[in-house]
Amino acid sequence: MENFSLLHPTNSNASYRTLNKEALNDLSVDYICDALTKEQYERNSIKQLLINITDDEEVIKYRCDVFEDFLRFPKLRDDLSALLVKLNDLREIERFQKDTEASSLWQLVNRLREMDGYVDCITRIKNTLETIEVKSQGLLELKKNVQSIYNDSGFPKLKKDIIDTLAKAQKLKSITLGVNLDDLLRPKSVGVISLNDKEFTDSGILKRFMKFTNRDSELHHGNDVSGFLSFHPSNPSTSQFGLGQFVVGAQQDVNHTMNSSLTGADPMSDALKNVVTDILRRTVNDIKSMLNRYVNVNGYSFVSLMPEIIFYIRFAELCDKMKKKNLPLCKAEVLPKEDRNCCLRDVYNLKLGIKSANGENLDIVTNDIDFNNDRRIYILTGPNRGGKTTITQAVGLAFLLAQNGIYVPATQMKFSPCDSIFTHFPADENDTVDLGRLGEESKRLAEIFSSASRYSLLLLNESLATTNVAEGLYIARDVVKSMRYLGTRAIFNTHMHDLARNLDEVNTTVKGDSKIESLVTGVENGQRSFKVFIAPPQGVSYAKDIAEKYGVTFDKIKKQIDRQRIAAPGSGR
């Protein structure tokens, strides 16, 4: 179990790359994590797993199959959700075990809790996996592991030992102590007389002590304490846990704890602590010896699975909500990385799916996108607010989800994994103070090309959209040529329609195997359709459609003016 993971096959040598902060922001990763859970620990765990991606085909297939089992079996999710509470306890216990200052008593209690929690976790997982027909390699291996642990680790005997030990511990309710005093009535040594199965019933020890000092006749002769029934109150923070065996007779010298020769210092507490700790340590060691018979039993491996289980459960819950809204979702089919291909059918933006699942009334438009030998780089043009950013982000999220094994918002996705996703969206104005917007955007583009490869996915959104179109267009053309030469997959959405013209010339003159294609967002009857299709840039065609729809063409305005003049003669030329 030590090296087992639900995220990759055992002994996998896959490499991972972490998305940069720009990609995290441009793909709205925080928005997605917030939609999955309100628990901060869970959000952080999911985010860390989501943003570290691999292009290893076997790892991605492994994850896709595991997630499919989580999605297919609500019972699996329900049972493991209940198990998360136990796993969280084990995680907290693991943290405490690292505290070297923890008392022996606490170490014992937490060891027993850990062992009991571990047995319960193994039993629950075993029972769950034996009642459902999981198919993924990951969950079948987990099932085999827990069955082996359950059958080979003596669980029935272990459970009985834990129960017996806890039963002994719960019997201890109080400790009877004997304190030796010097001539000045200062405590010089202390010992434990007995460990008792009843709590203290009288807290009047100070009153009795004062009576003893004032009335000689009530001073007890000798050291036989069998007749005393009064005890100092037990420490409420420890009495509830108790110990195992009974130990008597231990004694601790307290002279070295004195801080004052006469008054002021009270060494009693330290002395008692030292004595009790010493006794408890021996008691704990005896019990630990019993537990050490199960040296191969360790719950920490299951604690490490906690973030992975949360990851799959929360995404499966989201997919269920989206399915109830009749939104398409599909398991991605992994193609060879070397092909650098992708076939997306009816893809839509995950953010829109989340909003719809949460009750917003949206008319979600889906689209088809292909990356292959005929086209790997798209120059996407169209009207403002026509869906260019939405579809650009949708493609990036589809890759991100697929490479994490999560179902994709589409009816079909066949894809070659990318080694990383690089984004170039408009920068915050605060980030452009030193270099200016054009300088800052150029700097970020240079950084992308220094890290990207032919297996990367590049998403550019209104990049180089400066007030001086000529400057932006000049740099943008070189960026497009560079993407072709690199051989990457990319979408460059822009309002610079001239960038999408004469692409045949670029494809011919620049060496590379990523062909550039013009993609446009559509307009129907003057309305944005949010559909994309391969076509030359529309240029002024959208403005013409809008002008026709609202009657702001010269011909229509002229007719309106002429009608007004006829209706009101003499009103002017």
Side-chain angles (χ1 to χ4, degrees):
M1 282 297 297
E2 184 176 351
N3 297 319
F4 176 77
S5 171
L6 290 172
L7 297 176
H8 55 76
T10 303
N11 299 324
S12 169
N13 294 317
S15 60
Y16 295 80
R17 293 183 69 173
T18 302
L19 299 186
N20 61 34
K21 64 178 183 178
E22 288 80 17
L24 297 185
N25 180 67
D26 298 339
L27 295 178
S28 299
V29 170
D30 284 334
Y31 174 88
I32 294 168
C33 293
D34 288 346
L36 292 171
T37 176
K38 300 304 179 186
E39 296 294 331
Q40 186 64 46
Y41 165 74
E42 293 189 2
R43 288 201 300 268
N44 292 340
S45 297
I46 292 171
K47 181 177 179 179
Q48 289 306 309
L49 295 177
L50 191 62
I51 66 177
N52 287 287
I53 65 173
T54 180
D55 55 7
D56 187 288
E57 298 161 28
E58 293 305 312
V59 171
I60 296 171
K61 291 176 182 177
Y62 180 92
R63 291 188 179 194
C64 286
D65 291 342
V66 171
F67 179 73
E68 187 172 46
D69 275 340
F70 272 84
L71 192 59
R72 288 170 55 228
F73 297 110
K75 175 178 170 52
L76 174 65
R77 302 201 304 269
D78 292 342
D79 289 354
L80 291 183
S81 291
L83 184 65
L84 289 177
V85 178
K86 280 286 184 182
L87 289 176
N88 187 60
D89 285 343
L90 290 179
R91 183 168 64 95
E92 294 300 322
I93 292 172
E94 178 185 7
R95 289 177 179 175
F96 188 82
Q97 295 284 30
K98 296 177 181 178
D99 182 4
T100 57
E101 298 299 320
S103 70
S104 297
L105 176 61
W106 274 101
Q107 290 178 15
L108 168 63
V109 170
N110 282 289
R111 183 59 174 159
L112 290 172
R113 285 180 57 210
E114 178 192 20
M115 299 294 287
D116 190 53
Y118 176 76
V119 171
D120 192 40
C121 285
I122 289 289
T123 304
R124 289 191 187 190
I125 295 176
K126 171 181 174 293
N127 292 340
T128 295
L129 294 177
E130 288 179 343
T131 58
I132 57 179
E133 295 294 328
V134 295
K135 297 181 178 179
S136 64
Q137 177 187 344
L139 288 174
L140 286 174
E141 186 175 345
L142 178 61
K143 177 181 177 180
K144 180 180 178 181
N145 283 336
V146 296
Q147 287 176 331
S148 176
I149 293 172
Y150 187 90
N151 294 329
D152 298 342
S153 297
F155 266 37
K157 177 63 176 175
L158 173 58
K159 188 69 175 178
K160 183 177 184 301
D161 281 345
I162 292 174
I163 293 174
D164 291 346
T165 303
L166 286 174
K168 288 180 180 179
Q170 290 169 351
K171 289 181 180 180
L172 180 60
K173 301 298 182 181
S174 65
I175 302 173
T176 304
L177 303 174
V179 181
N180 291 323
L181 306 177
D182 62 13
D183 293 339
L184 297 178
L185 301 182
R186 295 175 301 187
K188 64 179 182 178
S189 62
V190 61
V192 175
I193 297 175
S194 66
L195 304 182
N196 312 306
D197 59 3
K198 292 184 179 180
E199 293 183 353
F200 298 134
T201 58
D202 187 355
S203 61
I205 189 169
L206 180 59
K207 179 177 66 176
R208 290 176 178 271
F209 177 77
M210 294 304 296
K211 290 171 64 178
F212 291 159
T213 59
N214 291 327
R215 299 174 60 182
D216 291 341
S217 61
E218 293 192 14
L219 186 63
H220 183 67
H221 297 287
N223 57 13
D224 180 6
V225 296
S226 58
F228 285 103
L229 298 178
S230 300
F231 304 105
H232 191 280
S234 62
N235 186 338
S237 65
T238 58
S239 63
Q240 60 179 309
F241 298 111
L243 304 180
Q245 356 174 260
F246 288 71
V247 180
V248 297
Q251 190 173 41
Q252 175 74 32
D253 182 14
V254 300
N255 285 335
H256 66 281
T257 65
M258 298 296 290
N259 296 321
S260 171
S261 60
L262 294 176
T263 60
D266 178 15
M268 184 69 73
S269 295
D270 288 339
L272 295 183
K273 177 181 177 181
N274 291 335
V275 171
V276 174
T277 297
D278 180 66
I279 294 172
L280 299 188
R281 185 179 294 112
R282 280 181 277 165
T283 302
V284 168
N285 288 337
D286 288 341
I287 296 177
K288 281 186 176 179
S289 296
M290 178 274 292
L291 293 178
N292 284 338
R293 285 182 289 174
Y294 308 97
V295 291
N296 293 324
V297 179
N298 191 323
Y300 298 163
S301 58
F302 277 92
V303 174
S304 69
L305 291 181
M306 187 175 175
E308 303 176 4
I309 293 174
I310 291 172
F311 181 80
Y312 286 121
I313 287 178
R314 297 299 175 243
F315 268 110
E317 291 171 345
L318 174 61
C319 287
D320 271 351
K321 292 171 64 177
M322 292 172 63
K323 281 186 173 182
K324 290 179 180 178
K325 295 293 184 178
N326 296 318
L327 296 174
L329 291 164
C330 71
K331 178 182 180 182
E333 179 181 340
V334 184
L335 303 176
K337 170 186 173 181
E338 291 294 332
D339 293 351
R340 294 171 296 136
N341 289 343
C342 179
C343 172
L344 271 167
R345 295 292 174 264
D346 300 309
V347 66
Y348 59 97
N349 195 307
L350 175 64
K351 289 174 64 178
L352 297 180
I354 290 173
K355 291 179 180 180
S356 179
N358 289 335
E360 293 190 34
N361 186 19
L362 301 175
D363 182 17
I364 297 179
V365 177
T366 63
N367 281 287
D368 298 341
I369 296 288
D370 291 294
F371 295 105
N372 50 46
N373 290 333
D374 293 329
R375 54 187 71 90
R376 286 200 178 92
I377 300 171
Y378 290 103
I379 309 301
L380 175 60
T381 56
N384 289 333
R385 303 183 65 81
K388 297 193 301 297
T389 299
T390 299
I391 188 63
T392 302
Q393 188 183 63
V395 172
L397 288 173
F399 271 82
L400 183 62
L401 293 174
Q403 291 188 215
N404 276 281
I406 307 302
Y407 270 32
V408 175
T411 57
Q412 182 185 59
M413 183 176 185
K414 299 179 181 180
F415 81 112
S416 303
C418 63
D419 60 8
S420 193
I421 303 172
F422 296 96
T423 63
H424 191 278
F425 284 36
D428 188 296
E429 292 296 334
N430 293 328
D431 296 332
T432 65
V433 174
D434 294 334
L435 301 177
R437 181 164 182 176
L438 183 59
E440 188 278 334
E441 291 194 344
S442 298
K443 177 176 178 291
R444 283 199 290 137
L445 283 168
E447 291 171 350
I448 288 175
F449 280 106
S450 69
S451 301
S453 75
R454 68 198 309 263
Y455 302 109
S456 302
L457 176 66
L458 273 59
L459 304 172
L460 281 62
N461 177 44
E462 297 290 1
S463 299
L464 305 167
T466 64
T467 54
N468 188 329
V469 177
E471 292 177 349
L473 183 60
Y474 175 83
I475 299 176
R477 282 175 173 159
D478 277 354
V479 168
V480 172
K481 292 177 182 179
S482 300
M483 290 192 295
R484 171 166 168 76
Y485 187 76
L486 179 62
T488 189
R489 288 164 284 185
I491 296 178
F492 188 160
N493 86 60
T494 178
H495 72 280
M496 294 182 287
H497 291 247
D498 286 344
L499 184 63
R501 302 187 195 281
N502 304 318
L503 293 180
D504 287 342
E505 179 183 349
V506 180
N507 287 325
T508 302
T509 58
V510 178
K511 182 181 178 180
D513 55 4
S514 284
K515 185 178 178 182
I516 312 166
E517 187 69 85
S518 173
L519 192 68
V520 300
T521 55
V523 176
E524 297 176 1
N525 300 321
Q527 295 284 347
R528 300 173 181 86
S529 68
F530 302 105
K531 279 287 191 181
V532 299
F533 54 91
I534 294 173
Q538 301 299 294
V540 297
S541 62
Y542 173 69
K544 182 178 178 181
D545 288 340
I546 293 294
E548 289 285 351
K549 176 181 178 181
Y550 292 102
V552 290
T553 64
F554 174 72
D555 287 342
K556 289 189 176 182
I557 293 174
K558 179 177 178 297
K559 289 178 181 179
Q560 177 66 25
I561 293 173
D562 290 342
R563 285 196 298 268
Q564 291 173 346
R565 286 176 176 174
I566 293 172
S571 59
R573 295 182 62 182

